[in-house]
Amino acid sequence: MTAAREHVRRALRALGPGGVIAGVGLILILIAVVSPGVIAPRDPLAIAPSEAFSPPSLAHPFGTDESGRDLFTRVVHGAAASAGIGLAATGIGIAAGLVLGFAGALGPRWLDAAIARVVEVLFALPTLVLALLLVAVIGPGTQASILAIGVATAPGYARILRSRVRGVARSDYVGYARHEGAGPVTVFVRHIAPNTLWPLVATATLGVGQAIVWVSALSFLGLGALPPSPEWGAMLNAGRVYISTAWWMTVLPGLAIVATATVLTVLGRRASGAGSEAT
């Protein structure tokens, strides 16, 4: 028990007050994703025309929309859609980044040069612009936005991983392992992978928050999830028409996006700092 408490104290000390608050926020977000009914038991699609455009109150903490749907319920239930899309897009980006990064760093020079040129071309375009181009080719929709954001974020992960792998591959301890007769697979599994994947995990935590913002931006433009989906970007798109008369329809879903991105950014920076200290 004493050792466990000491570990908890060290973890809290490493997180700091901001990290602890972000951790609590992440727990609430995870509850909203896994079991939104615990926080908001109402139906996010249930309409009540007589209560349309009701401002925030005790009965409706976030007010209601043009169909009388409870916005608090929709924001809570929308966490699963927004966070799920962000996680899926980040997963695609990381998977592509792993392939490109490891292939470029450990493959032959001609392959590294080819991958570097492709990454540079993709990096020349801002992430959201590249995602818009891909959606224009693929077509609008949730799956298209996930794929577009995933492909658009892959160059960043590939560049980070390639640089890290090349540094680790040239390190003294990898050289010693090879000198002692360790094969390429053994060197990769025991030394290169463990010392390169942790920074990518920390970066991916930041990337999920960014992916949620970008996916919400696509939905806001009508290229992602569409109403009546409770996805946050789609809610912003639906509320922009009434911004002057029902501000809560836009402001409160927007605050949910900002809060989620902030929580993940704070935790990602703490994880990145912990990883750099460990190495």
Side-chain angles (χ1 to χ4, degrees):
M1 291 294 294
T2 304
R5 290 178 180 177
E6 184 62 25
H7 285 305
V8 172
R9 289 176 182 174
R10 290 180 180 177
L12 293 176
R13 195 179 302 116
L15 286 174
V20 172
I21 295 174
V24 174
L26 180 61
I27 292 173
L28 293 176
I29 293 171
L30 291 176
I31 293 174
V33 170
V34 176
S35 184
V38 174
I39 302 176
R42 295 180 180 178
D43 183 358
L45 300 179
I47 63 173
S50 61
E51 298 181 0
F53 299 112
S54 297
S57 62
L58 291 178
H60 302 286
F62 284 9
T64 62
D65 62 9
E66 73 279 9
S67 298
R69 293 173 295 211
D70 183 69
L71 278 183
F72 177 75
T73 300
R74 288 177 60 77
V75 168
V76 172
H77 285 258
S82 298
I85 293 173
L87 283 171
T90 303
I92 292 174
I94 290 177
L98 286 173
V99 174
L100 295 175
F102 279 127
L106 302 177
R109 290 185 178 180
W110 65 267
L111 181 60
D112 182 27
I115 292 176
R117 297 295 84 77
V118 172
V119 170
E120 287 176 2
V121 170
L122 294 177
F123 245 118
L125 295 173
T127 301
L128 188 56
V129 174
L130 180 57
L132 287 171
L133 291 176
L134 292 173
V135 169
V137 174
I138 301 171
T142 301
Q143 294 180 350
S145 63
I146 291 174
L147 181 60
I149 294 298
V151 173
T153 55
Y157 296 122
R159 175 172 286 188
I160 293 171
L161 186 63
R162 175 181 175 273
S163 176
R164 181 71 179 178
V165 171
R166 290 174 70 90
V168 172
R170 296 173 181 174
S171 63
D172 292 337
Y173 58 86
V174 171
Y176 293 149
R178 289 172 176 166
H179 182 71
E180 292 177 357
V185 176
T186 302
V187 170
F188 178 80
V189 173
R190 291 186 178 180
H191 301 288
I192 294 179
N195 288 287
T196 55
L197 292 181
W198 174 253
L200 193 65
V201 171
T203 304
T205 305
L206 299 170
V208 172
Q210 294 173 345
I212 291 174
V213 173
W214 287 323
V215 169
S216 298
L218 291 179
S219 296
F220 176 75
L221 296 173
L223 301 175
L226 299 175
S229 170
E231 196 271 332
W232 294 334
M235 294 175 66
L236 289 177
N237 184 29
R240 64 185 175 84
V241 182
Y242 311 103
I243 186 65
S244 60
T245 56
W247 56 267
W248 54 88
M249 290 179 59
T250 303
V251 172
L252 298 179
L255 288 177
I257 297 172
V258 172
T260 302
T262 302
V263 164
L264 294 173
T265 299
V266 170
L267 293 178
R269 292 188 181 278
R270 294 294 192 278
S272 179
S276 61
E277 290 178 3
T279 54

